[in-house]
Amino acid sequence: MQDQFGRTIEYLRLSVTDRCNLRCLYCMPDEGIESIGHQRILSYEEMTRVAAAAVRLGVRKIRVTGGEPLVRRGLVDFIRALAELPGSPEIALTTNGLLLAEYADPLKEAGLARVNVSLDTLSEERFSRLTRRGGLQQVLDGLDAAMQAGLTPIKINMVPIQGVNDDEIGDFARLTLQRHCDIRFVEFMPVRSDLGYSAEQRVNEADILEALQQVAPLLPVRHNHLDGPARMYRYAGGKGQVGVITAVSRHFCGDCNRLRLTADGRLRPCLMSDDEINLLKVLRDGNPGDEELEKILLNAARSKPSGHQLGSGAAPLRHRTMKDIGG
Ligand code: SAM
């Protein structure tokens, strides 16, 4: 699948639910979230059909995300169905890790290759405040379980926010000295301003790198295809790596190889654009054949914009938060 700017689209991100067992301050309001009704969420069968079409068109990697994907019942069997698709795409999962201790082994057995765990603080008290729920120890147990199950390399994604957790960049980085895991610092993206977090609270790449250099000198690492958009480094003698995902200050749209499917069946050619294709309607009302489904995916790929405009102060997403899209 090629877009009109010559990019090859080979990565599908599937959000399986908008529900989450945490209420992270910058991602989700605490109260009054209207979850999408079950009827308006794609069934696993529908998602598998879309994924199969995408794989026939050249998608090689599928990431399952949410909301929190592990709160949707039947996820392990869904992962198995994806892993068994002809073409054997690589299946990865993004999770907050709360339920990982329970599911790491069955997920591995079902064919999951790797997990990314989102974790923004190593302090129990801060975790409770930031997630409005708590459960840091459960996440740490989940990380251990994922490691033992062989869901590696494990990547921890941390979003530093000024005045909230930016003082922990060094603590996270130090984990890579002892543990075989990679820590990726993700620049905060302006999504919906009604959540009370503004672009000014973003910690930019330069400041993240400065904090990382304070731990020890950073050694650059040659880019590996598993790194995705992250620029990776390591410390001498360290077991894991650290990296920065500069989604805003130095965007990587020129290398974007993704399509996204939301839990309510909207195909999004770009994370940061509200242009969507209503695939749920097509699937439910149109009874499309495989060829038609492929044509819709090809058109979505062709309609990818050349890049987002966030760095130039463009308005953030109006209709969606990350929990709708899955990051
Ligand atoms: N529940 C899963 C998890 O926690 O990884 C998957 C969904 S969650 C929405 C995916 C990622 O989006 C998390 O790592 C979260 O930190 C990130 N995220 C949410 N809002 C963000 C924002 N405004 N900027 C950058 N990352 C954001």
Side-chain angles (χ1 to χ4, degrees):
M1 242 182 317
Q2 289 267 327
D3 74 3
Q4 53 173 327
F5 303 100
R7 295 172 296 196
T8 302
I9 311 307
E10 49 189 8
Y11 180 11
L12 177 67
R13 293 179 67 103
L14 278 180
S15 172
V16 295
T17 179
D18 65 325
R19 295 172 195 228
C20 189
N21 43 5
L22 294 179
R23 291 288 180 278
C24 297
L25 286 172
Y26 61 87
C27 188
M28 252 175 129
D30 195 12
E31 309 280 344
I33 326 161
E34 244 185 78
S35 289
I36 305 170
H38 288 298
Q39 294 304 320
R40 289 174 41 229
I41 293 283
L42 288 180
S43 67
Y44 283 140
E45 290 72 23
E46 288 166 328
M47 286 186 187
T48 307
R49 239 195 113 196
V50 177
V55 172
R56 286 196 299 276
L57 293 171
V59 160
R60 295 191 301 157
K61 175 173 162 186
I62 300 174
R63 176 169 297 282
V64 175
T65 175
E68 172 48 42
L70 289 174
V71 301
R72 180 159 175 184
R73 236 179 291 157
L75 191 83
V76 172
D77 288 335
F78 176 57
I79 297 277
R80 191 187 320 278
L82 293 178
E84 287 176 355
L85 284 175
S88 310
E90 183 192 62
I91 313 300
L93 176 76
T94 294
T95 171
N96 60 31
L98 271 182
L99 297 174
L100 204 47
E102 186 182 334
Y103 285 111
D105 283 332
L107 284 168
K108 177 71 184 179
E109 186 273 322
L112 185 72
R114 295 183 294 113
V115 282
N116 286 2
V117 176
S118 307
L119 180 61
D120 294 327
T121 177
L122 297 168
S123 139
E124 181 82 61
E125 187 271 320
R126 213 178 248 187
F127 185 92
S128 299
R129 200 153 23 96
L130 196 56
T131 63
R132 298 193 188 100
R133 291 294 183 272
L136 175 64
Q137 191 53 51
Q138 262 170 271
V139 177
L140 299 178
D141 292 346
L143 280 166
D144 287 341
M147 187 80 77
Q148 272 166 25
L151 293 168
T152 49
I154 290 179
K155 296 177 184 174
I156 298 179
N157 289 338
M158 190 262 198
V159 180
I161 301 179
Q162 274 186 36
V164 176
N165 61 350
D166 55 327
D167 55 345
E168 291 190 62
I169 293 174
D171 294 339
F172 271 89
R174 271 181 220 99
L175 290 178
T176 67
L177 297 173
Q178 310 294 342
R179 285 174 158 250
H180 286 282
C181 66
D182 294 347
I183 312 285
R184 304 174 334 154
F185 299 92
V186 183
E187 278 183 352
F188 176 66
M189 289 175 254
V191 185
R192 280 212 341 232
S193 48
D194 58 339
L195 292 176
Y197 282 84
S198 62
E200 289 73 52
Q201 284 171 287
R202 178 169 59 246
V203 184
N204 283 325
E205 180 186 25
D207 295 324
I208 294 172
L209 289 176
E210 196 185 314
L212 293 177
Q213 291 279 13
Q214 281 174 15
V215 173
L218 280 177
L219 310 172
V221 170
R222 196 184 317 166
H223 192 81
N224 174 304
H225 76 284
L226 292 180
D227 296 337
R231 251 173 275 258
M232 300 303 293
Y233 306 84
R234 65 183 182 84
Y235 295 116
K239 295 195 167 136
Q241 300 179 358
V242 291
V244 188
I245 299 185
T246 58
V248 184
S249 68
R250 184 151 47 127
H251 69 67
F252 33 81
C253 303
D255 294 326
C256 184
N257 59 355
R258 305 166 178 202
L259 280 181
R260 292 175 163 83
L261 183 63
T262 63
D264 58 348
R266 300 326 193 252
L267 200 52
R268 283 179 82 93
C270 171
L271 169 64
M272 282 295 158
S273 159
D274 276 328
D275 288 339
E276 298 179 338
I277 296 151
N278 189 342
L279 209 49
L280 179 118
K281 189 168 165 46
V282 174
L283 285 164
R284 304 241 167 123
D285 299 349
N287 194 20
D290 285 349
E291 228 171 83
E292 196 179 338
L293 215 45
E294 287 172 20
K295 214 186 273 174
I296 293 169
L297 288 166
L298 285 168
N299 283 338
R302 270 188 216 113
S303 72
K304 277 176 76 67
S306 63
H308 70 63
Q309 308 297 324
L310 293 178
S312 57
L317 295 181
R318 256 167 243 126
H319 306 301
R320 298 280 204 177
T321 61
M322 290 293 181
K323 63 111 180 140
D324 300 318
I325 309 169

